[in-house]
Amino acid sequence: MYINYKNNFLFEGKTKKIYNTDNLNEIIIHYKDIITSFDGDKKQILNQKGIINNKISAIMFNLINSFGIKTHFIRRINNREQLCNKLDLFTLEFVIRNIVFGSMSKRLGIKEGVYIQNPIFEIFYKNDFLKDPFINHDHAVFLKIISYEELNIINRISLDINKIIKKFLFDKNIILVDLKLEFGKNQEQDILLADEISPDTCRLWDKATNKKLDKDCFRIGYSNEEIINAYMEVLNKIDK
């Protein structure tokens, strides 16, 4: 049991607050109701969003853990908070794409909606000042963020996670267009999946209608009610 953990504030990001616990190797992650896009340039409060994302993410982490893939997730404590392993995070984001959309479409001049036969693994450098630029393996190693061996491990794990989530969601009538993953290392130097898996970090479409069920609803200007309804639809479909 973790008493007075809120006196142990560690860090606040765009959408979460992090707290230390009595265990040096564990933290508590609090999900806020803030929704952001365009590297934080656009943001607003979206009532209940933190509660929904906490529940969705817990379901997804439990799913991934059940396949023997190590994640930072230990358990959901309450509506807004999770107990997680404390990690030293790589300052990288890894995107796995199943359908061409968003920045990939713009970079390569390919029409949005084209299905990708073999999922594509992309790397982005987490740097707010530089707007999280797209980089390759050599850049990441040159920046001394990660080794080639670690990148190979993350590449393999990411594709496995994509395969697991893609099938799980498809069976729930949701298409996984792409997803963003983050990783870190624990005290034993094991590589674990971190952050969250939710409509904030995945691009999701309704299988029957291709209706957007993710943060794209916020990016393109849907009302708060429409956005929260989309997030709730994801939760309702997978929480069965």
Side-chain angles (χ1 to χ4, degrees), residues 28-168:
I28 288 173
I29 298 178
H30 174 96
Y31 282 67
K32 302 191 296 183
D33 281 342
I34 299 293
I35 186 167
T36 72
S37 65
F38 307 115
D39 299 313
D41 290 341
K42 180 180 181 181
K43 61 184 178 180
Q44 67 187 47
I45 294 174
L46 187 62
N47 190 35
Q48 302 296 305
K49 178 250 190 183
I51 293 174
I52 296 169
N53 275 6
N54 182 28
K55 290 179 180 178
I56 292 173
S57 195
I59 291 169
M60 293 301 191
F61 277 123
N62 279 323
L63 171 69
I64 294 165
N65 286 337
S66 74
F67 281 83
I69 295 174
K70 295 180 179 180
T71 77
H72 75 162
F73 179 80
I74 299 173
R75 62 183 173 87
R76 186 164 69 94
I77 299 171
N78 55 45
N79 277 345
R80 289 193 179 274
E81 292 161 340
Q82 298 176 2
L83 180 66
C84 296
N85 290 294
K86 190 174 186 177
L87 305 180
D88 182 13
L89 296 175
F90 297 106
T91 54
L92 300 170
E93 294 178 345
F94 304 93
V95 175
I96 300 85
R97 299 186 183 274
N98 301 304
I99 299 174
V100 176
F101 209 85
S103 63
M104 181 181 176
S105 172
K106 295 174 183 176
R107 286 197 313 269
L108 302 180
I110 300 173
K111 183 180 178 181
E112 290 186 332
V114 174
Y115 278 73
I116 301 168
Q117 184 174 2
N118 297 307
I120 292 174
F121 176 85
E122 296 182 340
I123 306 171
F124 294 83
Y125 177 31
K126 287 189 66 176
N127 185 306
D128 288 340
F129 180 75
L130 299 175
K131 303 293 186 181
D132 297 345
F134 174 59
I135 63 173
N136 64 27
H137 289 62
D138 294 326
H139 292 136
V141 174
F142 171 73
L143 290 168
K144 298 185 175 10
I145 297 171
I146 198 167
S147 70
Y148 285 112
E149 181 181 3
E150 289 166 338
L151 278 170
N152 289 336
I153 292 170
I154 288 175
N155 188 314
R156 174 179 53 79
I157 295 173
S158 297
L159 293 175
D160 287 344
I161 291 170
N162 178 66
K163 185 176 181 179
I164 292 165
I165 295 177
K166 182 179 177 182
K167 182 183 186 307
F168 172 77

